[in-house]
Amino acid sequence: LCLCVCVCAFFSFILVCFHPCLLPKDLLSHDNADVRSNAAMVLTEISFPLKGKQQAVKFGAVAKVVELLKDNCDDVRTGAAASITTICITTEAKEEAERQGVIDALPSLLNADARRVVLAGIKAITVIASLPNARKSFGVLIPKLKSLQVKQPNALDEDVMIRAAQHAIDAIQWTP
């Protein structure tokens, strides 16, 4: 696993310099869950700059990441949601994610057992909720998001979860 992380970090440097999103897109379909998870995280990292977001859309990485939101592995779903959150800041990326089915894929993350998956899902929902169709579809998620604002005993991320859920509710309920 450590070697996989080091290899992904090295390739992320190379990709940013030469050809963003080519290798991570291919690795997002790998048979190994650790590779898919690390590829999603590399894609997240190289998508922080605007050019990285544009490259992710141009090279088809958004479709792969939306697909990974349905993966069986918690780490893969967490990485995919983080990628959606980072890439889909631009309207072009949000619209591409919508075409790829992100509005239908994200709600299931709120029911995950792993809190990191739920939190990543909430953040992705908040970003995608700026799309009118998403706000309409995500309206049914408000009771679930409110239930996530209840204090959890022994939860280290309790305040973060509560604030993230409130931001998602606010984004869903926003009207132009």
Side-chain angles (χ1 to χ4, degrees):
L1 178 62
C2 185
L3 178 61
C4 185
V5 172
C6 291
V7 169
C8 283
F10 170 74
F11 280 118
S12 69
F13 171 76
I14 298 300
L15 290 169
V16 169
C17 295
F18 299 105
H19 203 275
C21 297
L22 184 60
L23 185 64
K25 179 184 153 210
D26 296 337
L27 293 177
L28 290 169
S29 301
H30 199 276
D31 291 337
N32 185 304
D34 288 333
V35 173
R36 289 191 310 276
S37 173
N38 285 313
M41 294 313 291
V42 167
L43 183 59
T44 300
E45 293 296 323
I46 64 176
S47 297
F48 276 111
L50 179 59
K51 183 176 181 177
K53 294 170 186 10
Q54 293 166 337
Q55 296 290 327
V57 173
K58 180 179 178 181
F59 290 108
V62 173
K64 296 280 188 178
V65 171
V66 170
E67 201 175 297
L68 290 181
L69 292 171
K70 302 169 195 161
D71 199 279
N72 292 327
C73 177
D74 290 341
D75 290 337
V76 173
R77 288 185 309 196
T78 301
S83 290
I84 292 293
T85 302
T86 304
I87 294 167
C88 292
I89 298 300
T90 67
T91 303
E92 176 189 20
K94 286 177 189 171
E95 290 171 349
E96 177 60 21
E98 181 179 21
R99 282 190 292 277
Q100 299 302 326
V102 76
I103 294 171
D104 293 330
L106 284 173
S108 66
L109 299 182
L110 299 182
N111 297 316
D113 291 331
R115 288 179 62 84
R116 68 186 182 280
V117 176
V118 175
L119 183 58
I122 291 170
K123 291 177 180 182
I125 286 167
T126 303
V127 169
I128 298 298
S130 66
L131 293 169
N133 290 337
R135 280 194 304 279
K136 190 183 310 180
S137 295
F138 292 163
V140 299
L141 300 178
I142 291 176
K144 177 65 176 177
L145 290 164
K146 286 184 178 181
S147 75
L148 294 170
Q149 291 181 298
V150 176
K151 298 238 181 225
Q152 300 288 325
N154 302 322
L156 297 174
D157 61 354
E158 176 179 60
D159 291 337
V160 174
M161 183 76 76
I162 290 169
R163 282 193 309 272
Q166 187 58 53
H167 287 304
I169 292 167
D170 293 343
I172 294 166
Q173 293 179 331
W174 180 82
T175 54

